[in-house]
Amino acid sequence: MDLGAITKYSSALHAKPNGLILQYGTAGFRTKAEHLDHVMFRMGLLAVLRSKQTKSTIGVMVTASHNPEEDNGVKLVDPLGEMLAPSWEEHATCLANAEEQDMQRVLIDISEKEAVNLQQDAFVVIGRDTRPSSEKLSQSVIDGVTVLGGQFHDYGLLTTPQLHYMVYCRNTGGRYGKATVEGYYQKLSKAFVELTKQASCSGDEYRSLKVDCANGIGALKLREMEHYFSQGLSVQLFNDGSKGKLNHLCGADFVKSHQKPPQGMEIKSNERCCSFDGDADRIVYYYHDADGHFHLIDGDKIATLISSFLKELLVEIGESLNIGVVQTAYANGSSTRYLEEVMKVPVYCTKTGVKHLHHKAQEFDIGVYFEANGHGTALFSTTVERKIKQSAEQLEDKKRKAAKMLENIIDLFNQVADRRVISTTNAERQAVTPPGLQEAINDLVKKYKLSRAFVRPSGTEDVVRVYAEADSQESADHLAHEVSLAVFQLAGGIGERPQPGF
């Protein structure tokens, strides 16, 4: 590894602006696209080092997900399709923020701390979303990979779940599926079509869906996939990128935050609708009832429906497995009570961020996790997969049908200002700093019935998120507003539009 040549290349073509500081958060780096060229180059370097250390394929995804179109971002994907290991998140932050004259030292430090064999081969796969800046920034990643001697495959336009899938497939010798876009479509569509054949519902109204694609990659990929699942589902696309800006007045985050349909989508009563975010790794569902009222099926309800359905099927085939639902402090309290008291499913709370939810979910035979924003999945242990497969082959007719449904369900899931002024504890439900903030929140909560509220630094944007619950929407809105004022007064004026709930 000729570090001198690498740093010269960096200075000449991918120089870091002096003084710029970024932090690798829950979803990698995110900021204005014009500030990210040097970061992308350096994440290409880091991906090669991680690949050499793990002797595995590593993924790099260029996206800023639900952020505005002018932003962009990057995150690394570890060998089994999971988020980057925490120790390497620290390396990513250190490398991204190193001044040009210090970059050689930082690369050596990382290599020594992680015992990287620099003679080991390295392979990196790269995907990107549809942002205008993504193609150029992807090339900066490729420059970083190649200058350090790594091999790569550029998949071009992908959803984030697709890149996670590609990494997992390549590192499991094809056992999970083919590491191609066609392989992804074939695996999911086959399971989906089989599942719809087994479902008790019938009629076109159950097989049609309006999809808000957030003017992002989801539209392109759904069009590619349509003929694969044409037997089981008819989709009508909105906000498909033909006009309108990415994530502007549309997408999962907009629908969740504003509690209304996206711009450009007319909904009749009881029509089934859903929204992706910009890189199609979040989804929320919604509909209008006969009286025209809007109903949102967010991540909390999705997790409840999925875990309930799985539990029913397991009871039907006579399997007693350990199911757990993992939530964050953002989860609506009513969903937690319903799961624990009615469904008798244990619920566990972690810090916000998919990586924390994912790690906890791995402790169960079947772990279900969805953030309220629609980001999540279900995980099935290897033992469970083997049991279900055996049941689908050996049980009598009625039980075999339930086992076969479970088998198809398993294949449908892809198993894979300075905000730091505020710090938290207790799964991010209590503020530690600045002094006095938690006490102020406690006093405000006492003013409302069935209420709670908390704040936390965002893992994806330079803002602080405010959450509030109360016995009515009006009370929740008032509480959220008052907590926002407390944040403004005690934490130096940072914050975002509150996310009320009830």
Side-chain angles (χ1 to χ4, degrees), residues 45-57:
L45 298 174
L46 192 71
V48 170
L49 294 181
R50 181 64 170 158
S51 178
K52 288 176 180 289
Q53 187 219 29
T54 60
K55 301 179 182 179
S56 304
T57 296

Side-chain angles (χ1 to χ4, degrees), residues 195 198 309-310 312-319 380 384-411:
L195 190 59
Q198 297 160 340
F309 184 47
L310 291 174
E312 288 174 7
L313 291 175
L314 289 170
V315 169
E316 195 165 331
I317 66 174
E319 283 286 357
F380 302 83
V384 167
E385 290 190 35
R386 186 168 58 250
K387 280 186 177 181
I388 298 303
K389 184 177 177 63
Q390 290 172 348
S391 298
E393 295 171 350
Q394 299 171 2
L395 292 176
E396 58 193 46
D397 288 347
K398 186 178 179 182
K399 290 184 176 181
R400 186 186 300 121
K401 180 181 177 181
K404 190 64 180 175
M405 291 181 76
L406 275 168
E407 190 175 29
N408 288 322
I409 288 168
I410 290 171
D411 281 340

Side-chain angles (χ1 to χ4, degrees), residues 258-278:
H258 292 81
Q259 299 283 308
K260 66 179 183 180
Q263 187 178 64
M265 181 189 283
E266 296 294 328
I267 304 177
K268 298 176 183 177
S269 63
N270 295 318
E271 283 187 320
R272 298 178 175 213
C273 309
C274 69
S275 288
F276 290 131
D277 64 344

Side-chain angles (χ1 to χ4, degrees), residues 4 48 135 145 264 289 377 389 434 470:
V48 170
E135 186 171 6
V145 172
D289 63 22
T377 190
K389 184 177 177 63

Side-chain angles (χ1 to χ4, degrees), residues 117-387:
N117 177 6
L118 298 176
Q119 305 307 311
Q120 174 69 38
D121 291 337
F123 197 87
V124 178
V125 294
I126 302 155
R128 68 177 189 271
D129 70 12
T130 56
R131 294 166 195 272
S133 60
S134 289
E135 186 171 6
K136 181 177 182 297
L137 292 175
S138 289
Q139 184 57 52
S140 299
V141 174
I142 292 171
D143 287 352
V145 172
T146 55
V147 77
L148 199 47
Q151 300 297 308
F152 73 92
H153 180 82
D154 182 9
Y155 280 99
L157 293 169
L158 286 183
T159 68
T160 293
Q162 284 177 328
L163 184 72
H164 284 260
Y165 168 88
M166 302 306 173
V167 174
Y168 192 22
C169 288
R170 284 177 175 270
N171 288 318
T172 53
R175 293 190 302 275
Y176 186 68
K178 296 179 182 177
T180 63
V181 172
E182 292 75 17
Y184 179 87
Y185 294 155
Q186 289 166 358
K187 179 173 182 175
L188 269 66
S189 61
K190 179 183 177 182
F192 177 78
V193 171
E194 287 299 316
L195 190 59
T196 56
K197 288 178 182 177
Q198 297 160 340
S200 58
C201 61
S202 61
D204 291 341
E205 69 273 21
Y206 294 109
R207 301 185 186 276
S208 60
L209 182 68
K210 287 186 171 181
V211 184
D212 160 31
C213 298
N215 291 316
I217 187 70
L220 175 64
K221 295 305 176 181
L222 265 182
R223 284 203 181 95
E224 290 178 358
M225 193 179 184
E226 268 186 287
H227 73 276
Y228 286 94
F229 55 68
S230 58
Q231 301 174 52
L233 182 66
S234 172
V235 296
Q236 186 178 0
L237 306 187
F238 296 84
N239 299 313
D240 62 357
S242 58
K243 58 182 179 179
K245 292 181 67 175
L246 182 72
N247 294 321
H248 181 60
L249 302 178
C250 59
D253 199 55
F254 173 86
V255 173
K256 169 74 172 66
S257 298
H258 292 81
Q259 299 283 308
K260 66 179 183 180
Q263 187 178 64
M265 181 189 283
E266 296 294 328
I267 304 177
K268 298 176 183 177
S269 63
N270 295 318
E271 283 187 320
R272 298 178 175 213
C273 309
C274 69
S275 288
F276 290 131
D277 64 344
D279 63 336
D281 70 345
R282 292 184 182 186
I283 190 168
V284 294
Y285 295 87
Y286 45 93
Y287 65 95
H288 278 155
D289 63 22
D291 296 322
H293 296 131
F294 178 81
H295 295 267
L296 177 69
I297 304 173
D298 62 7
D300 295 335
K301 292 179 181 176
I302 293 171
T304 302
L305 288 169
I306 288 172
S307 55
S308 300
F309 184 47
L310 291 174
K311 186 173 181 180
E312 288 174 7
L313 291 175
L314 289 170
V315 169
E316 195 165 331
I317 66 174
E319 283 286 357
S320 178
L321 297 172
N322 182 19
I323 299 181
V325 175
V326 188
Q327 296 182 328
T328 71
Y330 265 78
N332 192 293
S334 296
S335 72
T336 307
R337 287 191 294 274
Y338 180 82
L339 283 165
E340 291 181 329
E341 297 172 11
V342 179
M343 293 307 303
K344 307 299 182 185
V345 173
V347 179
Y348 300 84
C349 190
T350 71
K351 293 174 63 176
T352 304
V354 171
K355 63 185 178 184
H356 304 296
L357 292 155
H358 191 89
H359 290 156
K360 186 65 180 178
Q362 289 175 318
E363 297 178 11
F364 305 97
D365 293 331
I366 301 175
V368 179
Y369 69 84
F370 276 84
E371 292 180 298
N373 60 33
H375 201 171
T377 190
L379 302 178
F380 302 83
S381 71
T382 303
T383 302
V384 167
E385 290 190 35
R386 186 168 58 250
K387 280 186 177 181

